[in-house]
Amino acid sequence: MCGIVGYTGPRQASRILVEGLKRLEYRGYDSAGIAVQADEPQTGAPLVVIKKKGKIAALRQEVPKDLPGHCGIGHTRWATHGGVSDVNAHPHTDNSGKLAVVHNGIIENYLSLKEMLEKEGAVFRSETDSEAIAHLIAYNYEGDLEAALKASLGHLKGTYGIACVHADEPGRIVGARNGSPLVLGVGDGEMLLASDVTAMLAHTKRVVYLNDGEVVSMLPHEFRVSDAEDRPIDPRIDHVAWELDAIEKEGFSCYMEKEIFEQPESIARALSGRLDGEYGCAKLGGLNLSKKELHAVERIRVIAAGTSWHAGLVGCHLFETVARIPAAAELASELRYRNPVVEPSSLYFAVSQSGETADTLYAMREIQRRGGTVLGICNVVGSTIPRESDGGVYVHSGPEIAVASTKAFTSQLAAFYLLALSFARMHDMPHHEGTRYLEQLKAVPGLVRDTLGQRDHVQAIAKRYSKAQDFLFLGRGLLYPIALEGALKLKEISYVHAEGYAAGEIKHGPIALVSPDTPSVFLVPNDHLREKTISNMKEIKARGGPVIAVAEQGDAEVMAIADEYIPIPAVDSRFQPFLMVVPLQLLAYFIALELARDVDQPRNLAKSVTVE
Ligand code: M6R
């Protein structure tokens, strides 16, 4: 995925564009560029286009501080078609250099378009699919950029968020969306356009979330939304609740660290207003299903990717054990292409921090197409999954900027704990148990804060093990998904190989990996699975493998066996996932620091993946 930004108004466009790109850098960070209309609009002077391989800092160096111009577009790229280079960076221009385009998404038919456009005289300079859009709009251009874009959209196959400018139309930016997010920011005598609201939060909180198939044309004082057939659309202006502080580092060295330490507050936000003490139940207003419909649910299915899938695995465990409803979590990328059976009595949840992950979105649409009901569990308000789902729960973790998901994960867990309680109270959980469950859930933010007190201890462990090339993360039951999450965090930001495994499965193969150089991180529960997990730990020790154990404080048996012991506060085993994941996030973070990795923007990745 990539980040798009556009600005038109009285201020210096280049500054606002580069600052907006910096905010969007988490979406993609291999190259970036801007195109600004020169400040002599009447002369129709060509655009100033500056593009640079590397991060936004590299682009910033290239942009003259006093670059004139009050209207322009910018882009930060995560490469799909064509390598990482200056020339492949966006914006892309037509032959005349008067028209510039930035694009997020994939144009599947770009080769046939290219062939056609080359016959018409277009000269392609990059290896990207996106350049075809610039030449196609130029081909259709007869003095009206909006009309030219609309004439072009029908020829594009694939996904796009597009923004374009033309030197002959001063102050105008035209954008279109199909499958890649685009938000319009309505300022005071100025307008912005961006892939998400973080790029415009410093300037306005009044936004219009564009829908697929919509086109926006904007000038500093006005905007118009219409469809590709030019039928006007009445836009709804929303107010963004996020504060600017939420997207600042606020004294932390990086966003991941900030977001790990923010978890007591973000979990509390996810629970806030949703605990019904009187009935020992959860209050979830946005499900859009009657009590009768919820009661009739026979099966639950969760679809998601990456960390969100791990939250879904925990959720399904809870649906089964707490609410006694059969449940399974599936990778969205797998579901879509396997001709799934969608039963009317099943309820589906699409889980996504960003609400834009293509795999999850397309799987959700496939389920809905077959008549299934899909509820979203998402963080980003106004993103595509919550808008297209049949209802759902916002997790309110606030903006998550680091590529590695941390606070969104624990907020997703909070949503699942609330949902499981709701279903359980409809079936066979008595009132007093519901009340007790609520009390325990209410205590979680404070216990997460206590667990964060292990910071220095985990850092010391990270220092000792940072040279290891392979790690195993092992857990059982509810802690198996947490083991998967620990391994993903480590791989993702430190580039160290890690396997997450069900602890009972290691004897079926992975135990062959155990050696004095391969640490195993064990998550030891305090329930009926404790003894089994300890036996698995002993099997590793017997084969010379170092063991790092996360277990309840004061567990003398674990302390005696493990080489390293990370204590977590005592809590009912059902709630241990919240606490167990924290030391794993810290371990990954500190190992990545030891290895001098770019923690917030690890190589090859992007925050949300809007391509399949
Ligand atoms: O925005 P989503 O939750 O849908 O994203 C899904 C995954 O791409 C995401 O969780 C990814 O695995 C994270 N980078 C993990 O930290």
Side-chain angles (χ1 to χ4, degrees), residues 305-308 352-354 357 403-405 488-489 492:
T307 288
S308 297
S352 173
Q353 186 284 130
S354 61
T357 299
V403 163
S405 185
L488 175 61
K489 284 294 87 91
E492 189 179 20

Side-chain angles (χ1 to χ4, degrees), residues 518-534:
T518 307
S520 293
V521 181
F522 268 92
L523 307 179
V524 187
N526 57 358
D527 57 14
H528 62 289
L529 293 171
R530 179 173 175 278
E531 289 314 316
K532 297 272 173 225
T533 310
I534 289 178

